Amino acid sequence: MADNGGLEGVVVADIDTSYIDGSIGKLIYSGYTIEDLAENASFEEVIFLLFNTRPPERGEYEELRSRIAENAVIPADVIEMMRSLPRDTAAMAVLRTAVSMLSAYDADGENLSDKERAKAKAFRLTGQITTICAAWIRIAGGLEPIAPRRDLSVAENFLYMTSGADPDPTACAALNVYLVLLAEHGMNASTFASRVVTATGSDMHSAIVAGIAALKGPSHGGANSEAMKMFLEIGAVDNVVPWFEKHIKTGERRIMGIGHRVYKSNDPRAGILKRHSKALAESSGKRKWYDIAVKLADTARADDYFIKRNLYPNVDYYSAILLYTLDLEIDMFTPLFVMSRIAGWSAHVIGQMGGRLIRPKANYVGPQGLHWVPLDKR
Ligand code: ACO
């Protein structure tokens, strides 16, 4: 096998959406640092930035915000399909199926040649994915889904549709930061999957379904729920060190939410999420999980194995605490990642449209020169 296992270091496109310098823990979206955006931008402004490489004027921002909210309604048939699924279906499988089904109801579903129409479809999908996530929480809990409101942002609408109550401003602000931080991240596995599908000339829904499928894996977006399961298994701050000795020092398991293909120093998103999850944990009186996460990260960071391999908490580590503190079921963590990353995926889909087919080579290591013996003579 060539020495680029996992395609590490292979450049596959020129992009203007995000830039990562993993050696110093730097991430920018179209020129703006992630720290600046997390502090000052709304998710909708970030969507505009990723599509236009500039921030929106007020009118453009208002227009995008209402366009997403107005298009967030999902067809009754999609709700019925979700109702028909077993209640214990993985939420990512529900989302993958529902997004695929949406293409049949999108008047522009099959088109992937016009960039403006593709953008409109991306905004529809952004609103609809928010609604699917909230609707599944309600359906899985035996409740009626709640329709989206036209006056709310993505973060506000999601929280509103899960409870039916006016969303709490602190929860909205925390969720907005989460959505900003996870919106885009270079040529990660799910984005690459979306681009491969787009490069075949396929449609936007297919590309986004491919992104969802790739994000589902525990080595990628599925790590946030695995991290939370790990914190719950540890159960108390005093159990952290014995748990680490038993499962990690022996090499039996990996710490989920630690390590990254690109960041060989701090993942800047992890630090911001750590701060926000701490504030949220304190304001809700649920500090225990945050304390366990910090203790485990500190234990790992003091260990030679983690030091030598430059393993630091990644975006999924403190996301788990933030989402759990927002009272979300663990199964919903990765769908929430999709709610944000739809922005990056669709910006990449539009960037890839009209580009050349992505078709790498494989290195054949099988036998040669054999002769086929018909079945009845074998
Ligand atoms: N815990 C313990 N050891 C680890 C961890 C971890 N979380 N992550 C990597 N390592 C070790 C590996 O065992 C390997 O050791 P070795 O050199 O002795 O063989 C070394 O560090 C390098 O690991 P690779 O798996 O080769 O690194 P790669 O770049 O392929 O993988 C990955 C990165 C998949 C993220 C990995 O760090 C991991 O499995 N982390 C846990 C899952 C996770 O958090 N995924 C989310 C990533 S962020 C995202 O996708 C949104």
Side-chain angles (χ1 to χ4, degrees):
M1 184 66 184
D3 63 3
N4 62 0
L7 298 183
E8 182 162 358
V10 177
V11 175
V12 298
D14 290 337
I15 61 168
D16 55 16
T17 46
S18 62
Y19 168 75
I20 308 161
D21 184 341
S23 64
I24 55 167
K26 177 178 176 180
L27 169 62
I28 63 171
Y29 292 171
S30 297
Y32 298 89
T33 68
I34 200 66
E35 290 82 0
D36 190 1
L37 294 168
E39 191 72 28
N40 299 307
S42 69
F43 179 50
E44 285 79 356
E45 286 177 287
V46 163
I47 297 174
F48 189 97
L49 174 67
L50 294 175
F51 281 83
N52 299 282
T53 61
R54 67 168 177 86
E57 303 292 337
R58 176 158 292 281
E60 292 169 321
Y61 162 69
E62 303 287 358
E63 204 257 328
L64 177 61
R65 202 180 123 115
S66 36
R67 200 157 157 197
I68 292 172
E70 282 161 14
N71 284 285
V73 176
I74 53 176
D77 288 354
V78 175
I79 293 280
E80 274 320 303
M81 178 281 291
M82 290 165 70
R83 275 204 188 98
S84 74
L85 294 172
R87 294 272 164 88
D88 61 353
T89 307
M92 278 297 275
V94 176
L95 183 58
R96 191 190 59 220
T97 309
V99 171
S100 185
M101 188 171 171
L102 279 178
S103 74
Y105 296 83
D106 194 309
D108 212 14
E110 288 302 311
N111 180 292
L112 196 61
S113 56
D114 181 303
K115 292 199 178 191
E116 281 312 306
R117 283 161 66 184
K119 272 188 199 173
K121 214 174 335 183
F123 301 148
R124 278 199 289 285
L125 272 169
T126 303
Q128 289 169 323
I129 284 173
T130 309
T131 306
I132 293 168
C133 288
W136 181 246
I137 291 174
R138 305 271 310 171
I139 292 170
L143 300 167
E144 273 302 299
I146 295 171
R149 268 173 45 187
R150 296 163 83 100
D151 58 324
L152 299 180
S153 69
V154 170
E156 291 165 343
N157 235 339
F158 171 75
L159 292 170
Y160 164 71
M161 285 188 281
T162 56
S163 69
D166 278 344
D168 167 53
T170 312
C172 287
L175 186 55
N176 181 71
V177 168
Y178 172 84
L179 295 172
V180 166
L181 291 177
L182 279 87
E184 157 64 1
H185 207 238
M187 199 54 66
N188 59 87
S190 52
T191 297
F192 184 55
S194 292
R195 289 190 80 121
V196 169
V197 170
T198 305
T200 69
S202 188
D203 64 284
M204 170 79 78
H205 287 80
S206 298
I208 299 307
V209 168
I212 295 173
L215 193 75
K216 186 171 182 284
S219 293
H220 193 13
N224 52 15
S225 40
E226 294 306 315
M228 194 63 228
K229 287 180 199 161
M230 187 183 70
F231 300 140
L232 291 169
E233 180 188 325
I234 294 171
V237 175
D238 289 347
N239 296 341
V240 167
V241 173
W243 185 91
F244 183 84
E245 298 286 332
K246 182 170 176 207
H247 298 292
I248 307 300
K249 283 300 265 184
T250 54
E252 177 202 317
R253 287 163 68 175
R254 288 185 174 199
I255 302 184
M256 300 314 284
I258 286 194
H260 200 277
R261 174 63 62 81
V262 182
Y263 292 113
K264 299 304 170 197
S265 142
N266 281 319
D267 176 338
R269 301 166 299 175
I272 301 168
L273 284 162
K274 182 179 177 186
R275 243 184 321 110
H276 282 272
S277 58
K278 182 181 183 195
L280 203 59
E282 275 169 354
S283 71
S284 65
K286 289 185 262 179
R287 253 199 85 128
K288 174 174 154 183
W289 307 110
Y290 171 81
D291 290 339
I292 291 174
V294 171
K295 176 81 179 169
L296 180 60
D298 290 349
T299 307
R301 284 306 309 145
D303 189 272
D304 261 3
Y305 178 93
F306 286 81
I307 296 169
K308 277 197 195 112
R309 289 167 180 75
N310 295 315
L311 299 168
Y312 293 82
N314 61 48
V315 69
D316 286 323
Y317 195 80
Y318 289 106
S319 289
I321 302 295
L322 186 134
L323 297 176
Y324 196 73
T325 314
L326 285 174
D327 284 334
L328 289 166
E329 293 287 335
I330 293 175
D331 189 40
M332 285 308 299
F333 288 8
T334 317
L336 264 281
F337 196 154
V338 175
M339 232 170 82
S340 165
R341 187 55 62 83
I342 173 69
W345 289 336
S346 41
H348 277 265
V349 165
I350 290 163
Q352 183 66 45
M353 281 168 66
R356 204 167 172 221
L357 180 75
I358 297 172
R359 205 312 186 178
K361 275 173 69 174
N363 184 33
Y364 179 69
V365 295
Q368 306 258 9
L370 304 179
H371 292 286
W372 193 256
V373 179
L375 202 53
D376 56 2
K377 301 221 169 91
R378 250 180 264 153

